[in-house]
Amino acid sequence: MADQPFLRCEKLVKRFGPFTALGGVDLDVYSGEVHALLGDNGAGKSTLIKTLAGVHAPTEGQIYIEGAPVTFRTPRDASNAGIGTVYQDLAVNPLMSVTRNFFMGRELTNSFGVLNMKQMDEITHDEMLKIGIDISDPSQAVGTMSGGQRQTLAIARAIHFGAKVLILDEPTSALGQKQQMEVLKTMMRVRARGDIAIIFITHNEIHSKLVADRMTFLALGQVIGSGTKAELEGEDIRRLMAGGAEMADLEQELAAI
Amino acid sequence: MSGRSESDRLKQETRLQRLVRRPEIGTFVVMVIIIVALAFFSSGKAYNALGLKNNIAIIAQYGIIATGAALLMISGEFDLSIGSMIGFAGMSMAMMLKWGLPFGLGEATPITAFIFTMAMTLALGWLIGTIVVRSGLSSFIVTLAFLFFLRGATEVAYRYINKSTQISGLPDYKQNSWFAEMMGGEVFGWFYDVWFMLGGNLNRRGEQWVTGFDARFLWWIIIAAAAYFILSRTRIGNWIFATGDNKESARANGVPVNAVKVGLFMFTAFCATMFAACQVFDTNTSDAAKGNLMELYAIAIAVVGGTLMTGGFGSVLGVAFGAVTVGLVANAVFFIPQIDGSWFRVFLGGILLAAVFANERIRKRITGGI
Ligand SMILES: Nc1ncnc2c1ncn2[C@@H]1O[C@H](COP(=O)(O)OP(=O)(O)O)[C@@H](O)[C@H]1O
Ligand SMILES: [Mg+2]
């Protein structure tokens, strides 16, 4: 593990008009680690990653990559700097083939703009295999793939096109049990490469405990706790998941109704 | 589990199975049935020398505009202004040939009339596309507006400059202009020469009857072949599919979706202008009603050819089969005089409905039933 974080945020603030979506967030993300980002609905997780992905410009604060301050004006800037985002909708096109999705917008062509289909098929097959899916037919439509396989496609694509930080927005939330495990396995395979940092956004305490090296908890736009898995104990995690409330208090509240 | 993986669940298909599952297959079968039925009921007249020429003429007309409509539909948009654009382009060319170029630039030649007109129609295509992508309005309504606007403007221009909504009696430019010959002349003369040499293609006096196909046949082949190549083999083709399938994900991956759409609106305008140029230089006439309803035929043929109404999927080859099918049925009345010509529209409505259901099935199969 590197001792310098690959990506670092300092006191990120994002306001939408009078509304403070992020109120000074610090985040350190290391290569070869899974960093779970947890928090309730509306806590600001999506806003945070959109800021990292160049979709929103931060109102205040600074993002650093390998120690150097960076400013992203567009998602392209962020992607060129090695930030690959896999959104909840995955940005795949169901009617198109696996290969055509993989290279969408970044097709390999000869100098006349003619596609090198064979080469693209091979790369797609190899890159998918590397993270654990053996697609027999890269010309099969993505619509025929399972949710987990689509997730893998989006991840493999981001990595192939140079992602050093992989941001996964709730990659397991829309999947069944078995496919959730597939995605977690995929994440661990990417982690094992050692050169890619993963930001894993989730609601699921168990999933985060299974794969995360480090966790950051957001509530109402602020970090209410963070640390390595070893530093955070079980009860702690549960309390932080609940937005800082004690379980006992919650039980009392429920009983009072 | 025991060594089984997801990939084992996709059945390997034989070549034949793949062929049968191709999206064009339904249209292909219908086309073959129509070809055979027409031969039978017209006692072969539909495919004698002149019958073939006339059939190909209308098939090529449909084919040219349906190719444009199909590519645009694959990108997720419609163009209802195609028919009015044909009328507008025909008016523009004929008017320049009769009354001279605009801005006092003097006499028009076939080629300058064509270039000025193409510049205008491409600009109109660009304008329509830009309005659609900038406003985010449905292309249905924006192009419906241009359907009325262009048809009205065409009629007004005719009456204002020409005092009449038709132009006839233009000289036959094909005699002296290679360009007019290229648009409105004849092609593949060798085909009819060979036919004659083999003892067919004879008129009543025993001379060679037909000397060639209309030039639009070649234009249709060129446009369809280019569209096929671009769609299936080039980066732009991938962008067209991606734009129509899911615009947002295409954009997120760096596909210039707006440029793709605007470009395709310009392409439908190009196809409409080619349609009009072939017509004007073939007949040396033009009138305000030209191209009427053609936008609807173009869309119907695109759908019959397997293009999805919702975008993201379609086949240029299927559209060519669709053009053959619809063209033959449209002409059938000339070869089978005892049938009522309106059966054509009954038939078109029927296969259109059948095609929509078939396409929906194909879409479900590809997307695994979502
Ligand atoms: N573009 C926006 N304009 C105004 N408010 C926004 C915008 N995006 C997010 N918010 C608000 O910011 C808060 C945090 O949202 P979000 O980051 O989506 O939370 P999470 O992903 O953790 O559920 C929410 O209250 C949301 O309504
Ligand atoms: Mg969210």
Side-chain angles (χ1 to χ4, degrees):
Chain A
M1 183 213 307
D3 18 279
Q4 170 181 275
F6 182 83
L7 177 115
R8 181 182 181 89
C9 308
E10 254 177 34
K11 302 200 174 55
L12 272 191
V13 176
K14 178 67 196 172
R15 291 193 196 96
F16 297 107
F19 182 79
T20 306
L22 295 178
V25 170
D26 296 325
L27 188 71
D28 288 344
V29 185
Y30 295 86
S31 298
E33 281 194 10
V34 175
H35 193 129
L37 191 58
L38 300 114
D40 229 346
N41 280 329
K45 305 181 295 294
S46 294
T47 306
L48 176 58
I49 62 160
K50 280 182 182 160
T51 310
L52 298 179
V55 177
H56 297 319
T59 315
E60 288 165 27
Q62 183 65 52
I63 302 170
Y64 302 87
I65 287 196
E66 293 184 303
V70 289
T71 308
F72 303 138
R73 287 196 182 77
T74 63
R76 257 286 125 103
D77 288 351
S79 141
N80 290 340
I83 298 187
T85 313
V86 176
Y87 291 105
Q88 261 162 316
D89 65 8
L90 304 181
V92 294
N93 283 356
L95 290 166
M96 293 167 68
S97 73
V98 179
T99 301
R100 281 176 179 269
N101 266 283
F102 195 94
F103 284 93
M104 182 174 20
R106 305 182 189 93
E107 296 82 1
L108 300 182
T109 64
N110 67 15
S111 41
F112 300 107
V114 178
L115 300 175
N116 290 333
M117 215 59 205
K118 196 162 167 285
Q119 192 188 356
M120 296 199 304
D121 277 343
E122 279 166 18
I123 293 175
T124 305
H125 179 266
D126 294 350
E127 292 288 319
M128 296 284 283
L129 192 59
K130 269 190 217 161
I131 60 171
I133 291 192
D134 183 6
I135 41 162
S136 49
D137 180 9
S139 69
Q140 107 184 63
V142 162
T144 61
M145 297 170 83
S146 70
Q149 288 176 319
R150 291 182 205 202
Q151 195 85 44
T152 308
L153 168 64
I155 293 171
R157 178 171 67 187
I159 292 173
H160 179 71
F161 290 105
K164 291 290 163 218
V165 181
L166 191 59
I167 302 178
L168 306 177
D169 192 3
E170 306 204 16
T172 53
S173 63
L175 302 177
Q177 283 284 352
K178 184 163 171 288
Q179 293 187 16
Q180 292 182 354
M181 284 312 294
E182 290 298 326
V183 172
L184 295 183
K185 279 190 211 163
T186 302
M187 287 170 56
M188 291 312 268
R189 285 193 197 99
V190 176
R191 176 181 176 274
R193 293 170 48 128
D195 60 341
I196 292 175
I198 300 174
I199 300 178
F200 173 37
I201 295 169
T202 182
H203 270 114
N204 193 314
E205 181 190 339
I206 300 170
H207 289 173
S208 63
K209 275 193 195 157
L210 281 171
V211 297
D213 300 286
R214 222 173 267 272
M215 299 180 194
T216 294
F217 294 86
L218 281 184
L220 302 176
Q222 285 178 342
V223 175
I224 56 168
S226 72
T228 62
K229 190 157 59 179
E231 287 163 13
L232 297 161
E233 276 311 308
E235 261 318 291
D236 226 8
I237 292 176
R238 194 153 302 142
R239 181 177 57 80
L240 291 165
M241 283 290 292
E246 295 293 348
M247 262 301 140
D249 297 347
L250 292 178
E251 274 167 18
Q252 265 177 14
E253 265 181 60
L254 288 174
I257 295 171
Chain B
M1 288 296 290
S2 68
R4 286 193 320 133
S5 76
E6 276 291 329
S7 65
D8 300 326
R9 297 171 63 182
L10 191 73
K11 192 161 130 261
Q12 291 295 319
E13 297 175 305
T14 63
R15 245 163 219 272
L16 183 70
Q17 277 173 321
R18 271 186 183 247
L19 190 71
V20 171
R21 283 166 64 110
R22 282 193 68 92
E24 300 93 358
I25 201 74
T27 325
F28 180 77
V29 170
V30 174
M31 178 182 78
V32 170
I33 292 172
I34 292 296
I35 289 174
V36 172
L38 188 60
F40 181 76
F41 288 112
S42 71
S43 324
K45 265 188 290 177
Y47 308 117
N48 68 22
L50 189 61
L52 191 64
K53 177 190 167 101
N54 289 341
N55 277 327
I56 297 272
I58 190 159
I59 290 168
Q61 280 193 324
Y62 284 154
I64 289 171
I65 48 171
T67 305
L71 254 55
L72 183 64
M73 275 172 72
I74 294 172
S75 85
E77 301 291 350
F78 280 102
D79 189 354
L80 293 179
S81 72
I82 293 175
S84 297
M85 193 71 86
I86 291 170
F88 178 84
M91 176 274 293
S92 164
M93 276 180 274
M95 205 95 93
M96 285 183 201
L97 289 167
K98 184 170 179 188
W99 300 100
L101 294 174
F103 317 119
L105 288 169
E107 289 268 301
T109 63
I111 194 163
T112 52
F114 175 81
I115 289 173
F116 268 82
T117 301
M118 186 62 91
M120 272 194 287
T121 52
L122 289 181
L124 281 165
W126 176 86
L127 178 67
I128 294 171
T130 305
I131 292 174
V132 169
V133 298
R134 284 285 163 79
S135 67
L137 292 170
S138 143
S139 55
F140 180 86
I141 211 70
V142 173
T143 59
L144 182 62
F146 275 86
L147 176 152
F148 291 119
F149 178 90
L150 287 174
R151 185 65 70 188
T154 301
E155 287 166 2
V156 168
Y158 267 121
R159 289 210 193 87
Y160 188 72
I161 301 169
N162 192 52
K163 311 288 181 244
S164 146
T165 57
Q166 59 178 353
I167 289 178
S168 56
L170 289 172
D172 187 10
Y173 294 98
K174 292 190 286 294
Q175 306 301 326
N176 303 314
S177 158
W178 58 269
F179 183 79
E181 173 67 26
M182 211 169 75
M183 289 291 159
E186 290 189 338
V187 292
F188 303 132
W190 54 264
F191 176 85
Y192 280 105
D193 294 345
V194 169
W195 194 343
F196 176 62
M197 279 192 287
L198 294 175
N201 187 18
L202 297 169
N203 65 12
R204 288 210 183 88
R205 270 165 282 134
E207 297 151 343
Q208 178 166 353
W209 187 15
V210 178
T211 50
F213 291 101
D214 288 341
R216 56 174 71 91
F217 185 23
L218 181 58
W219 286 114
W220 172 43
I221 293 173
I222 292 172
I223 290 173
Y228 178 85
F229 181 76
I230 288 173
L231 195 60
S232 57
R233 299 284 149 79
T234 70
R235 156 183 292 169
I236 292 176
N238 210 39
W239 292 353
I240 293 173
F241 282 124
T243 300
D245 194 347
N246 183 346
K247 193 173 65 177
E248 291 316 319
S249 79
R251 188 176 277 139
N253 285 287
V255 175
V257 295
N258 287 353
V260 167
K261 289 191 175 189
V262 172
L264 288 173
F265 276 107
M266 292 173 76
F267 181 60
T268 57
F270 169 85
C271 293
T273 309
M274 292 303 291
F275 182 115
C278 291
Q279 205 165 48
V280 166
F281 291 111
D282 178 20
T283 62
N284 304 309
T285 63
S286 176
D287 72 73
K290 280 281 184 287
N292 201 17
L293 288 183
M294 277 301 163
E295 63 284 337
L296 299 183
Y297 288 122
I299 292 170
I301 291 167
V303 172
V304 167
T307 313
L308 279 189
M309 302 289 288
T310 43
F313 191 77
S315 142
V316 173
L317 196 59
V319 173
F321 296 156
V324 172
T325 307
V326 175
L328 286 180
V329 177
N331 260 359
V333 62
F334 297 114
F335 304 105
I336 320 172
Q338 59 271 28
I339 59 167
D340 186 323
S342 296
W343 281 111
F344 163 56
R345 287 193 285 279
V346 175
F347 170 83
L348 183 57
I351 56 165
L352 184 57
L353 205 55
V356 174
F357 282 108
N359 293 351
E360 188 55 22
R361 257 193 53 209
I362 291 173
R363 190 186 70 79
K364 284 211 177 108
R365 200 187 65 212
I366 303 172
T367 58
I370 312 168

